[in-house]
Amino acid sequence: MANESQIVEAGKISRWLTENGFEHEFLGPDHLGVEMIKVPPEFLIPISTALYAYGFNYLQCQGGYDQGPGEQLVSFYHLIKVSDNADRPEEVRVKVFLPRENPVVPSVYWIWKTADWQERESYDMYGIVYEGHPNLKRILMPEDWVGWPLRKDYISPEFYELQDAY
């Protein structure tokens, strides 16, 4: 069989965004068939607002991950259209790729309130700063913890003294 490169046709949501002038990159479907799109940090709020208006009223999950030492960090958002009598709601994953030196992205808290603790966890574990978040502080680690424990280049301290433990 010849080695043919396959052309992946943009998904429904990507086509809608393109038709409405929103800059993004179609990444194809994930392992479950959910459409994934890549969004530049500066376009996250306009695209998120448009997706909310398009019916994506539920932020099921926001999180982060590290692509590896020296590589980019990613803030991702799994959005769902929740409606009455929907046996298979529409879903989309939005990904924002960020430099590890200064990973800053706007907070989507003002669009989906469920982003509150999820963005705080991504900040706490990866050091991704969510501009405009109303209470961006550590949620899992002590306030004085140094570093971002889920980054792949993180070096765990040999000892951490708990203050006022007794």
Side-chain angles (χ1 to χ4, degrees):
M1 181 146 101
N3 186 6
E4 298 177 32
S5 62
Q6 294 182 344
I7 296 175
V8 179
E9 188 175 320
K12 176 183 174 185
I13 298 146
S14 180
R15 288 193 308 270
W16 181 83
L17 287 169
T18 300
E19 289 166 6
N20 288 282
F22 291 100
E23 187 175 322
H24 70 287
E25 180 183 334
F26 178 65
L27 297 175
D30 70 3
H31 67 288
L32 298 173
V34 176
E35 189 174 339
M36 295 185 297
I37 60 170
K38 177 181 177 180
V39 174
E42 62 272 19
F43 294 127
L44 178 62
I45 295 302
I47 287 178
S48 294
T49 304
L51 289 171
Y52 183 85
Y54 186 61
F56 287 97
N57 54 359
Y58 178 51
L59 172 64
Q60 182 187 48
C61 178
Q62 183 285 323
Y65 64 89
D66 185 345
Q67 292 187 305
E71 299 294 322
Q72 293 182 312
L73 300 173
V74 180
S75 182
F76 67 85
Y77 310 81
H78 186 111
L79 307 174
I80 299 178
K81 279 187 180 182
V82 176
S83 61
D84 293 336
N85 304 318
D87 61 341
R88 177 108 171 98
E90 216 173 325
E91 301 174 74
V92 66
R93 295 187 200 276
V94 176
K95 295 185 176 192
V96 181
F97 294 77
L98 303 163
R100 70 191 307 107
E101 300 80 40
N102 187 25
V104 178
V105 65
S107 173
V108 297
Y109 169 82
W110 304 104
I111 301 169
W112 299 285
K113 297 294 189 237
T114 55
D116 186 4
W117 286 19
Q118 296 177 59
E119 287 180 343
R120 284 181 61 191
E121 183 177 348
S122 295
Y123 164 73
D124 196 4
M125 296 290 106
Y126 296 99
I128 298 171
V129 175
Y130 293 89
E131 278 189 333
H133 189 284
N135 189 24
L136 191 63
K137 62 181 185 176
R138 292 203 182 262
I139 192 169
L140 299 172
M141 304 304 288
E143 285 291 325
D144 60 346
W145 193 264
V146 176
W148 317 108
L150 289 184
R151 285 195 182 188
K152 293 183 178 177
D153 55 0
Y154 178 72
I155 298 170
S156 183
E158 290 185 29
F159 178 78
Y160 179 78
E161 183 176 338
L162 291 175
Q163 303 295 321
D164 302 321
Y166 303 102

